[in-house]
Amino acid sequence: MKKWFFVLIAALVTLVGCSEKEDKEETNSLKKVSVVLDWTPNTNHTGLYVAKKLGYFEEQGLDVDIILPGDAGADQLVASGKAQFGVSYQEGITQARVQGVPLVSIAAIIQHNTSGFASIASKGITSPKDYEGKTYGGWGSPIEQAVLQSLMQKEQAEIKKLDIVNAGDLDFFTMMQKDIDFAWIYYAWTGIEAELRGETLNMQYLTDYSEQLDYYTPVLATNEKMIKDNPDVVKAFVAATTKGYEYAIEHSSEAADILLEAVPDLDKALVHKSQEWLANKYQDDAAQWGEQKLAVWENYAEWMTKNNVLEGKFDAEQAFTNDFLPTKGAN
């Protein structure tokens, strides 16, 4: 009996050792890739954190690092091949491509533009006409003046009567405490934070003034070389990420908790309320999450060209693709 007992123990030890070895080999067999965020982690990024936490990336054979952009920025890191994927914007990809930078959008994170110009209600700014005599705090991009001028012209207002200043890294609420009257925000984050603070905002959404300003922001991006050399990796990444955002759409609170677990410094109330607000906006009226339309890319490029913020030939069909989105209804 003792002999058989020791034989059995030895066999079990061997099995455990083999199992651990197989698990290690399975982990090592995962393809390691990175995705660079466009900004500090927020609810625009929740689907990525969900895909990582719930094992969707692993199911697709990927070991994914979610990293912050640093000084270089996501577009630069992805374009140079130092990162395989990144969170970008239609505006940035459009400008990059006319300069020969081979960035490609592979999925729209949010289907419609949820950004606009915001001010606290006490400023009395209820339309672009009211921008006259006010101070706008921005980040120094030519696109800002072009958008402001476009909106003001629709209201017969003159942009020369608006003071535009570079506010650097100041957040919206700090700007409002200084001599700045309004700023460009994403309502899903800053607008929701204002609600939690009990602060009423006046908001002029870009989409209220022009269909051409209903562009994709943000998007997931990669580069042409990645698509050519590793299409299976791109497909796997998009499939897992799609599953992550679909989960966030259906399970807002649980998705918020996953983001908070990954980034515990974030404000819990803000994350949960923002996640709830965004849940039905990720996919919105699209046939599936991530889908992009040629007309959206063409219309915004046309607007950029007309407003002198885009110079050069832009081929919209090369700037994005829906090819890596999972077939709707497939497991």
Side-chain angles (χ1 to χ4, degrees):
M1 286 292 291
K2 287 183 178 180
K3 181 179 178 180
W4 284 107
F5 176 76
F6 285 118
V7 169
L8 180 60
I9 293 297
L12 288 172
V13 169
T14 301
L15 286 172
V16 170
C18 289
S19 177
E20 289 178 347
K21 183 178 180 182
E22 288 172 1
D23 288 345
K24 186 174 182 181
E25 288 176 351
E26 184 178 348
T27 300
N28 291 338
S29 70
L30 295 176
K31 175 73 173 177
K32 195 167 184 63
V33 298
S34 60
V35 55
V36 191
L37 303 184
D38 56 326
W39 198 246
T40 53
N42 58 67
T43 46
N44 282 352
H45 312 131
T46 305
L48 294 166
Y49 286 97
V50 169
K52 187 174 179 70
K53 171 66 177 179
L54 298 186
Y56 300 157
F57 286 131
E58 287 186 20
E59 288 174 3
Q60 294 291 335
L62 301 178
D63 178 10
V64 177
D65 279 339
I66 302 173
I67 60 179
L68 299 181
D71 294 334
D75 282 354
Q76 185 175 332
L77 291 172
V78 174
S80 65
K82 293 180 180 178
Q84 290 72 42
F85 304 98
V87 178
S88 185
Y89 309 89
Q90 183 175 334
E91 169 201 333
I93 291 177
T94 301
Q95 291 175 321
R97 291 202 64 88
V98 298
Q99 297 168 11
V101 180
L103 290 173
V104 181
S105 175
I106 50 177
I109 292 178
I110 300 174
Q111 191 60 212
H112 293 284
N113 189 348
T114 61
S115 74
F117 296 111
S119 59
I120 57 176
S122 60
K123 300 281 187 179
I125 301 173
T126 59
S127 81
K129 175 66 177 176
D130 297 323
Y131 298 168
E132 290 186 339
K134 300 296 193 300
T135 298
Y136 166 78
W139 61 92
S141 170
I143 198 75
E144 293 174 281
Q145 180 163 339
V147 173
L148 285 163
Q149 182 168 325
S150 175
L151 267 59
M152 292 180 75
Q153 283 178 340
K154 289 181 178 294
E155 303 275 321
Q156 289 76 51
E158 299 180 35
I159 195 166
K160 66 181 180 181
K161 296 181 180 180
L162 169 65
D163 187 18
I164 300 175
V165 300
N166 190 335
D169 295 330
L170 290 180
D171 69 88
F172 174 80
F173 300 99
T174 302
M175 281 192 271
M176 294 302 101
Q177 292 170 2
K178 296 183 178 293
D179 296 327
I180 294 175
D181 297 302
F182 68 108
W184 195 343
I185 71 166
Y186 285 90
Y187 194 86
W189 195 253
T190 307
I192 297 300
E193 184 177 356
E195 289 183 18
L196 291 172
R197 289 172 176 237
E199 191 76 72
T200 302
L201 297 185
N202 284 333
M203 187 86 181
Q204 292 85 53
Y205 289 99
L206 303 193
T207 53
D208 289 339
Y209 295 89
S210 172
E211 288 186 2
Q212 289 185 307
L213 293 176
D214 190 12
Y215 53 88
Y216 298 119
T217 175
V219 299
L220 285 177
T222 189
N223 60 61
E224 289 180 357
K225 188 175 188 303
M226 189 72 187
I227 289 174
K228 179 182 178 182
D229 296 347
N230 300 283
D232 290 345
V233 175
V234 179
K235 185 175 182 179
F237 178 81
V238 175
T241 303
T242 299
K243 198 170 178 181
Y245 278 99
E246 288 176 343
Y247 180 94
I249 291 168
E250 296 296 328
H251 307 282
S252 168
S253 182
E254 293 87 345
D257 285 336
I258 289 173
L259 177 59
L260 286 164
E261 180 183 349
V263 194
D265 290 341
L266 293 176
D267 181 88
K268 182 177 180 180
L270 173 57
V271 169
H272 272 271
K273 194 169 179 63
S274 174
Q275 198 66 60
E276 182 182 358
W277 192 87
L278 267 181
N280 65 356
K281 293 178 174 59
Y282 287 126
Q283 179 176 333
D284 206 289
D285 55 359
Q288 67 181 112
W289 178 85
E291 182 182 73
Q292 301 172 80
K293 297 178 178 66
L294 178 61
V296 174
W297 282 86
E298 290 178 334
N299 287 342
Y300 186 49
E302 180 183 318
W303 180 93
M304 293 174 75
T305 300
K306 183 174 64 177
N307 287 274
N308 302 313
V309 288
L310 185 68
E311 294 182 3
K313 182 176 175 57
F314 176 68
D315 186 346
E317 292 184 348
Q318 299 301 312
F320 79 99
T321 179
N322 290 317
D323 291 349
F324 298 102
L325 293 173
T327 302
K328 190 179 179 185
N331 293 326

